[in-house]
Amino acid sequence: MYRFTLRLFAILLISVGLFTTANAQITFSFTYSDSGTGFNDATQGAARRGALESAATTLAGYFTGYTVDLAFTVTSESTNNGTLASAGSGISYSSNGFYNTNVQKLIQTGSGTSDGEINWNFFHTWDYDDDIAGGAYDFKSTAMHEILHAFGFLSYIDSAGKGATEQTSGQPDVWVTFDKFLTDKDGVTLINDTTFAFQGNVSTLTGGSANGVFFNGTNAVAANGGNRVQIYSPDPYESGSSGSHTDDNTFTGVNQLLMNAASETGQGIRTLSAIELGILKDLGYNVVPEPSTYALIFGCGTLLVVMIRRRRLRG
C-alpha cells in the first residue's frame, strides 16, 4: 500500500471499439493504455476488456435518471504485492470544503469532465467469466468495487488527519463529500462542516470496528437498522484502504459487502446491499435496488488527476 496523492497522468490515446444499445443512461468510455500487455494482451486482452465492460454495465444499472458518458483510463501492472486493483477520480476545488469527485460531479450535475482511472494488477490469478474457479479472484466483482471509488465512495482523510491539500491537522482543508458523513463511535463528525477542519481524534482512524470510523448518513443508518455503518479503520493505518471501505471485520460471511477492503479468491460479491445503496443515496445519487442493463460506449481520454484507492488481498 502507498500513501495516496493527487497525480497527473498523460494518457496514451488508442483506438477502441464501440458497443452500445438503446436506452443507455450511464455509459463508459474506457481508454486502454497498455501496449501489447494487460488489457491489450494478445491472448487474454479481449476477455479482460469484456469483463470490465460487463461489470460497468451491471453497476450502471443501479443508477437511474442520468444521461452521461464517463471517461476512464485503464492501465495495468504485474507486481507481486497485496494489491488487486486501484481506482479513483480527482476533484476540482476553489476553496476549502467538501467536493464531489469529478466523475461524481459529472453524473449528478451533467457538468464538468470525468477523469476516472483504473489500474489492475495481473500478477494475481483472475477469472473473467461468471463461474469463478477456485484459487482465482473474481474480476467483475473487483471491477464494480473499483469503479464505485471513482463514483465518490472514498475518503481523503489521511493517517494524520490531513486532507487533499495536506494542511496541518485541525486546519481548514479540502475533502470529498464522503468525508462529510464520517464520525467517531459517539457520532462526532470528523470534519467540521463550518470550518472544514479535522476535529476528530487521530486515534479514531485506527480504532478498529468498535472505536474507529463510522458513516452517519441518514439513508445508510436507516438501512443498517438505525446504526452508524462501520468503516474500515485497522491498526496500523493502511494507506489506500483505511477510511474508504466498509469494515471487513463487521460485514463478514453472508453479510460481506462489495465495498469491503479485502477480497478472497472464488466467487465475489456482485450486488450492492441496502447499506451500500444507502451510502450512495447520502452521496446524492438516485439509485434503484435492482440493476437493469445499460450500454457502454468506448472512446478516448485526455488528462486526469486522480485520488487512488486500492482493493487488497484478504490476509
Side-chain angles (χ1 to χ4, degrees):
M1 304 295 175
Y2 60 84
R3 187 178 184 280
F4 60 90
T5 58
L6 289 173
R7 299 185 292 166
L8 184 65
F9 290 87
I11 299 170
L12 173 64
L13 298 181
I14 62 174
S15 61
V16 288
L18 178 68
F19 171 65
T20 185
T21 63
N23 303 318
Q25 293 195 358
I26 293 181
T27 58
F28 294 79
S29 295
F30 290 121
T31 298
Y32 299 100
S33 63
D34 298 318
S35 179
T37 62
F39 285 92
N40 285 313
D41 179 80
T43 303
Q44 299 188 76
R48 291 167 175 174
R49 295 191 301 271
L52 179 58
E53 294 154 11
S54 175
T57 301
T58 299
L59 184 62
Y62 280 102
F63 298 84
T64 183
Y66 303 110
T67 302
V68 63
D69 183 59
L70 305 176
F72 276 78
T73 296
V74 185
T75 58
S76 70
E77 61 184 274
S78 182
T79 306
N80 185 6
N81 60 30
T83 297
L84 292 175
S86 61
S89 173
I91 57 174
S92 300
Y93 61 91
S94 57
S95 60
N96 297 316
F98 299 104
Y99 293 87
N100 289 346
T101 69
N102 290 335
V103 167
Q104 182 181 4
K105 178 181 177 182
L106 183 59
I107 295 172
Q108 294 183 6
T109 69
S111 63
T113 59
S114 64
D115 62 352
E117 196 228 18
I118 300 172
N119 184 68
W120 217 273
N121 189 355
F122 286 117
F123 175 85
H124 305 292
T125 302
W126 294 96
D127 197 318
Y128 305 105
D129 57 27
D130 299 326
D131 184 15
I132 310 303
Y137 290 95
D138 186 338
F139 184 98
K140 292 182 181 180
S141 171
T142 299
M144 292 174 65
H145 173 108
E146 294 304 335
I147 293 171
L148 277 177
H149 283 318
F151 277 36
F153 200 115
L154 79 169
S155 171
Y156 269 26
I157 304 174
D158 76 358
S159 61
K162 299 178 181 180
T165 61
E166 300 186 329
Q167 302 301 310
T168 301
S169 182
Q171 297 299 311
D173 211 324
V174 173
W175 318 90
V176 285
T177 302
F178 189 88
D179 293 323
K180 182 177 183 179
F181 299 96
L182 298 184
T183 75
D184 64 15
K185 64 181 177 62
D186 297 317
V188 177
T189 55
L190 299 186
I191 310 300
N192 187 291
D193 61 6
T194 300
T195 65
F196 308 118
F198 181 82
Q199 63 181 8
N201 190 318
V202 174
S203 65
T204 296
L205 305 176
T206 54
S209 302
N211 299 305
V213 178
F214 292 77
F215 190 94
N216 199 35
T218 301
N219 293 287
V221 168
N224 196 37
N227 302 305
R228 292 183 291 274
V229 179
Q230 289 93 335
I231 297 298
Y232 188 60
S233 314
D235 186 9
Y237 184 94
E238 296 179 6
S239 293
S241 292
S242 292
S244 294
H245 298 87
T246 47
D247 184 48
D248 289 1
N249 295 316
T250 300
F251 303 104
T252 61
V254 297
N255 296 317
Q256 185 178 354
L257 302 181
L258 174 67
M259 293 310 293
N260 280 7
S263 179
E264 298 174 339
T265 55
Q267 185 71 52
I269 306 300
R270 296 188 180 184
T271 58
L272 291 175
S273 67
I275 292 172
E276 291 158 312
L277 291 172
I279 290 174
L280 291 171
K281 289 179 183 178
D282 291 324
L283 294 179
Y285 285 106
N286 300 320
V287 297
V288 295
E290 297 295 334
S292 56
T293 300
Y294 293 132
L296 307 177
I297 300 176
F298 307 99
C300 296
T302 51
L303 293 175
L304 52 125
V305 179
V306 297
M307 185 68 78
I308 295 296
R309 279 295 177 270
R310 299 197 149 204
R311 188 171 217 193
R312 61 180 177 82
L313 297 155
R314 187 181 296 278

